[in-house]
């Protein structure tokens, strides 16, 4: 059992940066995959980054590779996403999600979700 709450969203100009955080609470023992997803208007959920808690392996979507960095703080049960060089196409609602076991890129395979935090990028 785990609950997720995102924070850190906001409005920035193109080229700016934001740092998103996801706070986890409740029982989270065992092996988990944590992920960041986003949904832009009229778009499907898109996996942005996923990280395996067991070994720390992290995967990024090609569209954000080199600009976004996902990290975790196991002691504080937080997941972070540092977003640099933001572009208008990065705008959307960002969610953190959790899944037991091996990581996946499919949003439907993540049963635990936060409420999301909005990111707006102006040009």
């Amino acid at each position: 059992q785990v609950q997720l709450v995102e924070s850190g969203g906001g409005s920035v100009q193109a080229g700016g940066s934001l740092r998103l955080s996801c706070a986890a609470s409740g029982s989270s023992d065992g092996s988990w995959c944590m992920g960041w997803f986003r949904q832009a208007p009229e778009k499907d959920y898109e996996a942005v980054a996923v990280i395996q808690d067991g070994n720390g392996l992290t995967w990024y979507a090609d569209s954000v590779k080199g600009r976004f960095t996902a990290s975790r703080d196991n002691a504080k049960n937080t997941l972070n996403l540092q977003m640099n060089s933001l572009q208008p196409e990065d705008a959307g609602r960002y969610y953190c999600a959790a899944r037991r076991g091996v990581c996946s890129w499919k949003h439907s395979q993540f049963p635990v979700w936060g409420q999301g935090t909005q990111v707006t990028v102006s040009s």
Side-chain angles (χ1 to χ4, degrees):
Q1 182 181 354
V2 63
Q3 296 81 44
L4 306 175
V5 180
E6 303 93 336
S7 63
S11 181
V12 299
Q13 295 182 346
S17 299
L18 284 173
R19 183 178 175 85
L20 307 183
S21 295
C22 174
S25 62
S27 179
S28 59
D29 58 304
S31 180
W32 291 80
C33 172
M34 303 294 298
W36 285 101
F37 294 80
R38 67 187 181 189
Q39 186 177 39
E42 304 178 6
K43 301 292 185 180
D44 292 330
Y45 289 97
E46 176 187 12
V48 176
V50 295
I51 181 168
Q52 187 74 58
D53 65 351
N55 53 26
L57 290 176
T58 306
W59 295 265
Y60 297 93
D62 288 341
S63 60
V64 307
K65 194 173 299 181
R67 299 187 296 119
F68 292 10
T69 303
S71 61
R72 62 178 181 174
D73 187 332
N74 290 331
K76 298 181 179 180
N77 291 316
T78 59
L79 178 71
N80 300 303
L81 184 68
Q82 179 66 46
M83 305 186 294
N84 298 326
S85 301
L86 284 162
Q87 301 299 311
E89 54 264 36
D90 295 315
R93 192 165 185 85
Y94 282 70
Y95 302 86
C96 64
R99 178 184 190 271
R100 285 192 177 275
V102 67
C103 278
S104 173
W105 286 105
K106 297 181 177 180
H107 69 91
S108 61
Q109 295 185 352
F110 285 76
V112 182
W113 291 76
Q115 295 299 310
T117 184
Q118 194 70 33
V119 172
T120 302
V121 184
S122 61
S123 60

